[in-house]
Amino acid sequence: MQDVPEEWREERGGDRRTRGPEGRQEKGDESLMMELTRLVQEAVRGSSWWERRGIDCSILAAAFLCLPPAFLLLGSSRVACFAAGMLLMGVAHAVITFKGTHLASHGALSESQAWGNFWAVFFIEVCGSFSARAGVQGHIKMHHAHTNVVGLGDSSVWKVPCLPRSVYLFVAPLFVPVITPLVALAHLRGHPAALVVRTVLMVALGLYSQYWLLIHLSGFLSPLSALLCMLACRAMFSVPYIHVNIFQHIGLHMFAPTRRPKRIYQMTHGVLNLPRNALLDWMFGHSLINCHVEHHLFPFLSDNMCLKVKPLVSKYLMEKQLPYQEDGYLSRLTMFFHKYQELMVFAPPITELVGVQ
């Protein structure tokens, strides 16, 4: 059980005021989360469309524009050109399936709900080979709504206790492209027939399109070589993808469903930012790498807007003496390697923030 400073505790009476370190009463008509939300909303209103959505849409468009030259390079008989084509397609696929599907699941690509639904199906099902409904349900309604709440949004979906640590951390992620559509099919059980048919057709469309282009545009001579190329391109950055998903939540504070703290304490204690990395920022997006705290506090923001409000959010949290957790990629990898049993096999200990729940 963990105690917290008096200033973190919100009064349960009518005025809901907070007290500072010296017992000074601050404005009592809004919570810390409401005050921070107002500051972020002001920053969003003062931003152009290019900042709110344009930059991220341009990155996704650039990834799609990289696909034609990638297919052409894969048809070359020169080793260097072929390798360049593999790398280019792997990077483009990572941007589209990691960054694109994540933004689409949050509706961050368009202000229109209809277009938001279209992009969710396109990126998650056609490009990501997963069910859009299951993706939104699992990510938005479980992970974000119940971040680090045991049995709900505790990231246990990423745990495979039967695997040894080296296999889990460095080998198993390479099979994510094969596992993903199979998991999608499992999630479709019990859903309406129309939804099942749509998802199967969209996933098949995405997979077959890449296969067809490898055969007819790149000139692959056998189905097996085309399938192996698809696996290599799709698995190229699966290892850091799995790492990112476990590093930023597992090993931090976990909460019981009946004793969870208020949102701002839940997110500041249960979410961690990784440092900026040009490659990972480009492929996964700022909201998954160096602005994950901001993303969990304000999941409707695009990657670029998370980066823009990052100084504002970090300054506010530090002024209020709230945690703003950051750690390096290699530091987290080392910790998970040495504490694999504790973090990925055994049940996590539950944290109770006294006076906050």
Side-chain angles (χ1 to χ4, degrees), residues 143-144 147-148 153-155 158 244-254 267 269-272 292 296 332 336:
H143 175 64
H144 273 274
T147 301
N148 284 33
D154 58 2
S155 298
W158 299 105
V244 165
N245 276 283
I246 63 175
F247 288 175
Q248 295 177 313
H249 294 284
I250 296 175
L252 303 177
H253 297 282
M254 295 287 172
M267 300 308 170
H269 283 80
V271 186
L272 174 143
H292 205 53
H296 268 264
R332 298 296 287 177
F336 271 77

Side-chain angles (χ1 to χ4, degrees), residues 199-275:
T199 301
V200 171
L201 289 177
M202 293 299 102
V203 171
L205 174 64
L207 293 172
Y208 185 73
S209 296
Q210 185 180 12
Y211 171 82
W212 189 92
L213 288 169
L214 287 173
I215 295 292
H216 293 88
L217 184 59
S218 301
F220 279 68
L221 299 178
S222 70
L224 180 60
S225 61
L227 291 174
L228 289 175
C229 180
M230 289 174 62
L231 177 62
C233 293
R234 289 169 177 256
M236 192 173 294
F237 297 99
S238 292
V239 171
Y241 173 70
I242 294 298
H243 290 176
V244 165
N245 276 283
I246 63 175
F247 288 175
Q248 295 177 313
H249 294 284
I250 296 175
L252 303 177
H253 297 282
M254 295 287 172
F255 309 104
T258 56
R259 293 288 292 169
R260 69 175 70 190
K262 293 191 176 180
R263 180 175 177 80
I264 194 166
Y265 306 114
Q266 180 182 352
M267 300 308 170
T268 53
H269 283 80
V271 186
L272 174 143
N273 284 345
L274 295 172

